[in-house]
Amino acid sequence: MQKAQLSDALTDLNLHQAWSKVYENQGCAGADYQTLEAFAERLHKNLETLRDEVNYETYQPRPMLRIDLEKPGGGKRLLSIPTVRDRVLQTAVTRVIEPLFEAEFEDCSFAYRKGRSVDQALERIQLLQRQGYHWVVDADIQCFFDSIDHTLLMTMVGKLITDAGLLRLIEQWLCTTVVDGDRRFVLHKGVAQGSPIAPLLSNLYLDHLDEALLDNNLCMVRFADDFLILCKSRDHAEQALELTDSLLGQLRLTLNTRKTQIVHFNQGFRFLGVQFIRSLAFKTEADEPNLLALPVSDERTDAGSTSFRQGLPESRRHGRHLDSIGPNGDQKTAEPLSIMQLAFSAANLDAKDFSAREQPLDTLERPDEQDLPTDHEPLLRTLYLLQHGQVLGKESERLIVRQEQKTVREIPAIKVDQIMVFGNAQITTQAMQFCLQERIPIYLLSGQGHYYGVIDSFNTEPVLLQREQFLRANDGAFCLKLAAAMVHGKIANSRLMLQRQARRHDTADLHTAADALKNTLAHLSGASTLDELRGFEGSAAKAYFQALAATVDSSWGFSQRVRQPPTDGINAMLSYGYTLLFYNIYSLLRSRGLNPQVGFLHALRQGHPALASDMVEEFRAIVVDAVVWKLVLNQQLTPDDFDYPKTAGEGCFLKPHARQLFIKALEEKLNSAIAHPVSGTQLDYRRCMEYQVQHLSQVIRGIDANYQAMVLR
C-alpha cells in the first residue's frame, strides 16, 4: 500500500500548491488577524518557517476563531476558522493523505470527493427507486461534527497512516484551542467545522457505517452527514434503522429521533435540497438557511481582514438556485447547505473543486526540460549588482539601485531573496539593516566572480539538526557512503552530458569518455576511503573535459579544465557559473538549517563551505556545463567576448556585456522545469536543489536511509 510521508507534504511544490488553493478561495483572517494578503507579502519566508517548525517539531497550531451563525429557526451554528498558515499546512497534508483515504471510501459516499457530486447522489437514489427500492430510512445524526470521538478517529487514521509526523499534526489539529470572544477552550471531541482537513476526517469517521451497512446488503446513499438507506419493504427498512442505531452507537454517535423517519416514495421526502415524491424530484425551499441572509457575528472582522461571508466560495457568496430535476436526473442541481457543507464552505471548499480527479503527479508527462507556467515564481529571487559604482539603498518598502545619483531600478523589497554584489558596488546602511532583519544574504564578489564573503543575519540556528550534522561528519562510514552517492551523481550526470553532445558531434572521444565514466561508476562502490573516492572523481573529470574539448572550435583554446586562474573563455564561464551555482546552494542550505561549512565529501577547512561544495557536484554538468556549451555551440558568446591575460598568472574573464548575457542564460536554466528523477514532480532546477537539500537533511536525521543524488536520464 502507498505510504504517506510528512516529507511529501512539506515539499516546496506541495506547499505552494496548497497556498494557491487557500489563496484562490479568498478565506477570511483567523484569530491572529493575518490576512491572505499579509501572508503573501513574505510568502517564501512564511512557507519556509512553517516547514522548519514542522521539521524541528516546534510547530503548534494557532487558536481558531469561533464564528456563530444565527439559524432562522433559532439556535446557532458554530464554525471554527484556522489561521491562514494553519489552513495552508492542513491543505498540504490533505493533498498527501487524501489518496490513501479515498482508497478506503465506499461508492455510496458522494460528498466532497473528487469525481463525485450531488447530481450523482440524486441519480443513484432515482436508479434505486426504479429498481423497486421504495422504502427509505431518512436518517439524521445528532450533532455529528461536535460528537466525533478523537480516540476512535485517530485509531482509524492510524490504520492508514504510519508516519509519526503526520499523525502528530492531525492530533494537534483535533485538539486546537478555540477563541470565542473573551473565552478560550480546547476541543476534547468533535472536528472543527471550518478546517480544510475536516471533510476528509469526517468522511473517514463515517466509513465504518458505510462498510457495515453495505456488508449487510443494504443500499445506502450518503452525502456528508446526510444519508438514506433504501429498502424494498418496510420490514427491511425497520431492520436497517435498528442496525444503523447500533452502528452509530459503536461510533459514539446517536440518531436525532426527531428528524429520523421511515418513509415511502409515495409519501415523499426531501434530501439534498430536492423533494422526492413518487417518480418526481424537484427543488424545494431548503430547511437550511441561505448564508446570504445570515448576519456575521464576528466582531473581530475589520478593514484589514476578509469577512466570513466574503471568505466563502463564489457560489456561496452570490447564491445559487437549485434547478428542478426530472425522473432521469438529467438536469443539474447545486449543493444543499447542510451542516457539513456549511463547514466545508467555511474551509473554502466547494463541490466544483471535486468535480474531476487531478492527474496523479507520478503520471505527469516527463519531458527532459520545459518552461514553467508564466506565473511561476522562482524559488530564489536574486538581485545582481554588476556595475561598478552602483549603490543599493532602501526607501519605504522598496530597494533602489542608483548609478551616478540616478535611479536605474526599483524593486519591491519582498521580491528579493538574495543579493550578489560584484566589484565596486555599495550598499547603504538602511538596505543592509533591512537585509539582516529579513535574513536576505548579501554575497560580496569581485568583478570576475571571486568570493570575498557573505553578510548574513545572526539568528538562532536549528541546533538539533546541526548537532546531528556534526556527529554524522565524524562518522567515517557515513561520510564515505554519502560521498559515494554524491560522486556517483556527478559522474552519471557528466556522462549524460557526453552522451547528449555525442548526438550532435559523433566523435570517438565522446563515446570513449562516456564508456570510461561508465566504468568508473561501476568501481565507485569499491572505494574504501574518501581519498580513493576523490581519485575516481578526479580521473572522471579529466576524461570528461578532455572529451568535451573536441566539440568546440580551436579558437577557444580550451583543452582541459583550468580553475585558478581560468586561462580561456570556456574555463572563465565554467568558473563563473560554478561560483553562482555554489552560492545558490549555499543559500538553500542556510535556509534549511544545515551548516554549509561542514561537509562529507570535501575536506573541512577554515573558510571553506564544504557542504555547499558537496551539493554542487551533482548539478555542475546538468546546469552550468549545459549553459556554457549552449552559449558556445550556438555562438551566443565568442572568444571576442572575453578579456585575456596580458601577463603570466593573470586570468581570462568575461567582459561586462558577456557577464550579463551569461547570468541571464544561467537564470533561465535555473528557472526551467524538469521532472525530478526521484519524485517525478515538475520542478525548476532551484527547487530540485532544494529537494536534494531537504533529502540530505532527512538522511542526516536518519529519516531517509540512503542519499539519492539527482541523476537525469
Side-chain angles (χ1 to χ4, degrees), residues 463-713:
V463 293
L464 295 178
L465 174 59
Q466 293 195 7
R467 181 187 66 177
E468 293 295 327
Q469 181 184 354
F470 298 156
L471 292 173
R472 294 289 197 179
N474 284 327
D475 183 342
F478 179 88
C479 290
L480 182 63
K481 183 178 180 181
L482 179 56
M486 292 174 168
V487 172
H488 181 277
K490 176 181 181 177
I491 297 176
N493 285 330
S494 298
R495 182 170 181 266
L496 178 66
M497 177 72 172
L498 293 175
Q499 291 173 320
R500 289 179 174 178
Q501 293 302 316
R503 298 185 196 125
R504 181 169 181 170
H505 303 273
D506 191 13
T507 66
D509 289 340
L510 290 171
H511 292 293
T512 300
D515 290 341
L517 265 59
K518 182 179 180 181
N519 183 60
T520 302
L521 288 171
H523 288 84
L524 278 182
S525 59
S528 58
T529 66
L530 285 175
D531 285 339
E532 189 176 353
L533 195 62
R534 294 172 190 137
F536 282 126
E537 178 192 12
S539 63
K542 183 178 180 180
Y544 168 72
F545 283 113
Q546 285 179 346
L548 285 180
T551 66
V552 300
D553 190 84
S554 59
S555 62
W556 283 97
F558 175 76
S559 60
Q560 61 181 343
R561 176 75 177 111
V562 181
R563 294 172 175 78
Q564 297 178 346
T567 55
D568 56 81
I570 290 179
N571 271 303
M573 285 189 285
L574 291 172
S575 294
Y576 197 68
Y578 293 156
T579 297
L580 298 179
L581 177 65
F582 180 92
Y583 289 106
N584 274 274
I585 288 180
Y586 182 99
S587 291
L588 292 172
L589 289 169
R590 291 279 288 126
S591 68
R592 295 292 168 261
L594 289 165
N595 189 313
Q597 310 295 325
V598 181
F600 304 94
L601 170 61
H602 291 83
L604 178 66
R605 66 177 188 269
Q606 188 68 32
H608 174 235
L611 185 58
S613 293
D614 291 353
M615 296 298 294
V616 161
E617 298 300 346
E618 61 201 79
F619 291 99
R620 288 182 187 268
I622 57 179
V623 175
V624 177
D625 298 0
V627 169
V628 171
W629 256 256
K630 180 181 178 181
L631 294 174
V632 169
L633 297 177
N634 293 343
Q635 297 184 357
Q636 293 173 268
L637 287 176
T638 69
D640 294 335
D641 295 311
F642 297 82
D643 290 323
Y644 291 88
K646 296 180 176 59
T647 61
E650 293 184 352
C652 175
F653 301 107
L654 293 86
K655 291 180 179 178
H657 73 277
R659 193 158 56 238
Q660 293 182 17
L661 190 152
F662 181 83
I663 287 176
K664 181 176 183 294
L666 184 62
E667 283 292 320
E668 289 175 352
K669 182 70 174 181
L670 290 170
N671 293 327
S672 63
I674 60 170
H676 192 280
V678 176
S679 70
T681 55
Q682 294 290 331
L683 304 173
D684 62 44
Y685 277 95
R686 275 200 178 98
R687 286 181 169 84
C688 287
M689 296 174 197
E690 185 192 38
Y691 184 100
Q692 293 305 116
V693 170
Q694 286 183 266
H695 175 40
L696 175 63
S697 174
Q698 301 287 72
V699 172
I700 289 172
R701 296 167 65 195
I703 297 173
D704 292 346
N706 300 304
Y707 181 78
Q708 283 185 275
M710 178 176 159
V711 178
L712 297 189
R713 299 179 178 85

Side-chain angles (χ1 to χ4, degrees), residues 419 430-442 457:
I419 299 172
Q430 292 84 354
M432 194 176 301
Q433 288 175 344
F434 171 81
C435 291
L436 291 172
Q437 291 169 356
E438 296 299 321
R439 297 189 64 188
I440 299 173
I442 304 169
S457 63

